[in-house]
Amino acid sequence: MAVHPVSAEVIHQVEESLDEDEKEMMLFLCRDVSENLAPPNLRELLDSLSERGQLSVATLAELLYRVRRFDLLKRVLKTDKAAVEAHLRRNPHLVSDYRVLMMEIGENLDKSDVSSLVFLTRDYTGRGKVTKDKSFLDLVIELEKLNLIASDQLSLLEKCLKNIHRIDLKTKIQKYMQSGQGAASNYMNSLQASLPNLSIREPSYSSRFQNGRSKEHRFVEHLGIQRKPVKTSIQESGAFLPPHIYEESYRMQSKPLGICLIIDCIGNDTEYLQETFTSLGYYVQPFLFPSAYDIPQILNRFVHLRQHRDYDSFICVIVSRGASQKIMGVDLAHSGLTFDCVKRMFMGDMCPFLIGKPKLFFIQNYEVIGSQSKDSSLEVDGPAIRNWDSKALCRGPSMIHQEADFFWSLCTADVSQLEQPSSSPSLYLQNLSQQLQQERKCSLVDLHVNLMDKVYAWNSRASPKEKYYLSLQHTLRKKLILST
């Protein structure tokens, strides 16, 4: 990306397109380069930085990249995420890794977490200094002013995160400090800034808390990550570790790698899926056209298989008609089996032979979507599991939290796709199969985000009844590559 000054028109376009939370994040990210400035708002700050020669198209692109506005990269700056990442790998950064780390921690805290942190720091900030409605970034700024937090001074924040049982975020800080970033602020980052856990979801399903404030989903024009997750939180974000930091991976050496259970109630996908997972080194067990009564019986058989002790992972693929959060098999009148029930069956207390091993679920559920549009949205989720034992992810297999090591990929599509004269295989599963064969050395999280890109591209030109709605939840604690 060439270095060019930023026009007032571009600054105006960007500022006008950002919401208040995004503006707050940008102001926070720029604090290290705006020490002598006191602009009243983001537009004035960007304009001042531009006048001082500190803001170029490249650095503005970096800021938009940090707040995940990939749509503005494309629409306003005529570039894309991949180009920004390439630029950041080769050039110094405007934003320090410390600033990005604080922003990411804030994004992974919900309102109650922020309230607890504000309370815990009252002994240091003074009562009433930081009001209850302030965001996490407001708290960080106040602690910085009191010299209680800095790029190389994060022990107080670690202690507070431990006290609210957010060991995942405490671990993220520790990895940042271990990498040597806390000892210097040279901004020569190698893309250590993590990106969010991403879901393509319906806006009506839920809203999120960012920096302690409720915020609705926004529509995003482009979605994609190509980097490795570093944090060991319950839902992970993509990131890239420097070469000198050891990155732990799941053991994937057993032969076979594990059992791949395929439950196909439709009959369009089993053949190519069986070929794909066999080629990856799995022992595939397909079940075609089971009833709603059969499905839990099949799952229960595989929950208690002692062979899991000798294998390194487990995969379950389910293709079925269903309702929201349920699968129904071939019995449309049946009440169905809930997704929560399926997850519960394979948790550590129910399936001890898979404790500490990745358990992967790929589900294509066809349901009546309804007339209301379910346009795909970008969502940054907080942890999927709350109030878990703070030591659970740091001990041996017997101490691992029962909900750890799950990868849950769920795709829903309108059931009318199955009512065509010749229904076709699932676009989601077809693309998943292709990527698993072509990108064997890619981490599963990164691979799935690339899959989301393809689903999004399809949705952008498909009719409402032809769209696919894809989401990812996972509790993976390590890097996972489905290859021996």
Side-chain angles (χ1 to χ4, degrees):
M1 293 175 59
V3 177
H4 298 295
V6 182
S7 68
E9 180 182 358
V10 167
I11 291 175
H12 175 74
Q13 281 183 282
V14 168
E15 193 267 347
E16 195 176 47
S17 301
L18 299 173
D19 60 32
E20 292 306 312
D21 283 335
E22 291 161 343
K23 292 175 184 177
E24 178 191 19
M25 285 192 289
M26 274 204 181
L27 287 168
F28 178 81
L29 292 173
C30 290
R31 282 184 66 81
D32 296 323
V33 292
S34 60
E35 292 182 36
N36 300 322
L37 299 173
N41 55 50
L42 179 65
R43 182 170 62 185
E44 296 301 321
L45 171 65
L46 295 178
D47 186 53
S48 297
L49 291 176
S50 183
E51 285 185 5
R52 287 167 40 164
Q54 291 178 284
L55 186 74
S56 63
V57 171
T59 51
L60 180 57
E62 178 188 344
L63 290 172
L64 290 174
Y65 174 87
R66 298 304 186 193
V67 297
R68 267 74 77 182
R69 288 308 300 267
F70 307 130
D71 58 322
L72 296 182
L73 288 177
K74 182 178 180 181
R75 177 164 59 85
V76 179
L77 300 187
K78 310 305 180 187
T79 186
D80 57 26
K81 177 182 63 64
V84 177
E85 289 179 347
H87 178 82
L88 291 174
R89 284 193 293 269
R90 297 190 302 265
N91 298 277
H93 297 181
L94 175 73
V95 180
S96 70
D97 297 318
Y98 159 72
R99 292 279 162 206
V100 177
L101 175 68
M102 293 300 102
M103 183 191 75
E104 291 167 352
I105 289 175
E107 289 182 314
N108 282 279
L109 295 168
D110 63 24
K111 197 170 185 179
S112 63
D113 287 331
V114 175
S115 177
S116 296
L117 289 174
V118 169
F119 180 80
L120 287 170
T121 56
R122 287 172 70 181
D123 292 338
Y124 305 90
T125 62
R127 296 178 182 272
K129 190 74 174 180
V130 181
T131 58
K132 292 181 178 179
D133 63 340
K134 291 296 184 181
S135 71
F136 173 73
L137 296 184
D138 291 327
L139 175 62
V140 170
I141 290 171
E142 190 59 40
L143 293 173
E144 287 177 340
K145 290 177 180 177
L146 297 171
N147 293 319
L148 294 171
I149 190 173
S151 62
D152 58 349
Q153 185 180 340
L154 296 171
S155 56
L156 174 60
L157 182 56
E158 284 187 68
K159 177 182 176 182
C160 291
L161 289 170
K162 180 180 179 181
N163 286 335
I164 65 170
H165 308 294
R166 291 307 303 272
I167 305 303
D168 57 316
L169 299 180
K170 179 177 180 289
T171 301
K172 189 174 182 66
I173 292 176
Q174 291 172 336
K175 289 187 176 183
Y176 161 84
M177 297 298 290
Q178 290 166 3
S179 71
Q181 298 170 59
S185 299
N186 59 13
Y187 303 176
M188 290 297 291
N189 171 43
S190 56
L191 272 186
Q192 283 123 329
S194 66
L195 290 170
N197 173 52
L198 299 174
S199 299
I200 303 180
R201 287 191 181 178
E202 308 85 325
S204 60
Y205 270 21
S206 61
S207 62
R208 63 176 280 246
F209 286 100
Q210 176 176 321
N211 296 332
R213 298 191 183 109
S214 176
K215 178 181 174 183
E216 294 300 319
H217 305 316
R218 64 171 182 268
F219 183 80
V220 176
E221 190 171 87
H222 181 73
L223 174 63
I225 304 176
Q226 298 175 351
R227 292 295 160 206
K228 159 69 186 67
V230 288
K231 71 180 183 179
T232 54
S233 69
I234 295 307
Q235 289 196 14
E236 304 251 9
S237 62
F240 179 74
L241 280 174
H244 62 280
I245 299 297
Y246 174 70
E247 186 174 23
E248 189 176 5
S249 298
Y250 284 101
R251 180 185 186 276
M252 297 293 281
Q253 296 175 2
S254 65
K255 294 187 183 299
L257 286 174
I259 292 172
C260 174
L261 169 62
I262 299 177
I263 299 176
D264 189 351
C265 306
I266 309 301
N268 291 334
D269 301 280
T270 294
E271 186 174 347
Y272 69 84
L273 289 173
Q274 185 167 1
E275 181 180 336
T276 294
F277 287 108
T278 299
S279 72
L280 289 173
Y282 283 86
Y283 175 51
V284 180
Q285 291 277 278
F287 291 83
L288 279 167
F289 309 116
S291 67
Y293 173 80
D294 292 333
I295 291 177
Q297 309 301 318
I298 294 169
L299 291 169
N300 195 54
R301 277 173 51 193
F302 284 84
V303 164
H304 299 291
L305 276 182
R306 300 180 71 85
Q307 291 98 308
H308 291 314
R309 292 181 303 181
D310 304 319
Y311 303 150
D312 289 336
S313 60
F314 170 74
I315 292 177
C316 179
V317 183
I318 301 176
V319 188
S320 178
R321 293 175 185 252
S324 178
Q325 302 302 307
K326 287 184 178 181
I327 52 178
M328 293 181 179
V330 295
D331 305 293
L332 299 184
H334 196 278
S335 59
L337 180 68
T338 67
F339 296 149
D340 285 340
C341 184
V342 175
K343 290 179 188 175
R344 184 78 186 88
M345 294 175 75
F346 287 89
M347 287 182 186
D349 54 346
M350 300 288 288
C351 186
F353 299 129
L354 285 173
I355 288 177
K357 301 175 182 180
K359 297 163 280 285
L360 318 177
F361 292 81
F362 302 99
I363 299 178
Q364 174 65 72
N365 205 32
Y366 294 94
E367 59 184 76
V368 178
I369 301 292
S371 58
Q372 195 170 17
S373 174
K374 291 174 65 175
D375 285 335
S376 300
S377 294
L378 176 67
E379 178 182 331
V380 183
D381 287 329
I385 302 169
R386 309 291 300 170
N387 301 321
W388 38 276
D389 181 355
S390 63
K391 298 179 181 179
L393 300 179
C394 305
R395 298 286 185 88
S398 63
M399 294 297 293
I400 292 174
H401 193 278
Q402 65 179 16
E403 297 181 62
D405 308 302
F406 275 83
F407 186 95
W408 186 269
S409 174
L410 170 64
C411 185
T412 59
D414 197 284
V415 73
S416 63
Q417 293 193 31
L418 302 179
E419 296 166 357
Q420 305 300 322
S422 57
S423 62
S424 58
S426 161
L427 174 87
Y428 154 66
L429 292 175
Q430 279 188 312
N431 278 284
L432 173 67
S433 177
Q434 291 172 6
Q435 288 191 230
L436 286 172
Q437 294 193 67
Q438 296 169 5
E439 304 175 36
R440 296 192 176 201
K441 297 300 181 182
C442 181
S443 79
L444 185 59
V445 173
D446 291 346
L447 183 148
H448 194 279
V449 177
N450 293 337
L451 175 62
M452 284 178 160
D453 269 336
K454 294 187 177 181
V455 172
Y456 180 87
W458 167 268
N459 286 349
S460 67
R461 57 182 183 270
S463 68
K465 294 291 186 180
E466 296 174 319
K467 290 185 177 182
Y468 289 79
Y469 304 98
L470 178 57
S471 65
L472 168 64
Q473 259 190 327
H474 74 85
T475 57
L476 298 180
R477 299 169 297 118
K478 308 173 187 177
K479 181 177 181 179
L480 176 61
I481 297 176
L482 297 186
S483 178
T484 54

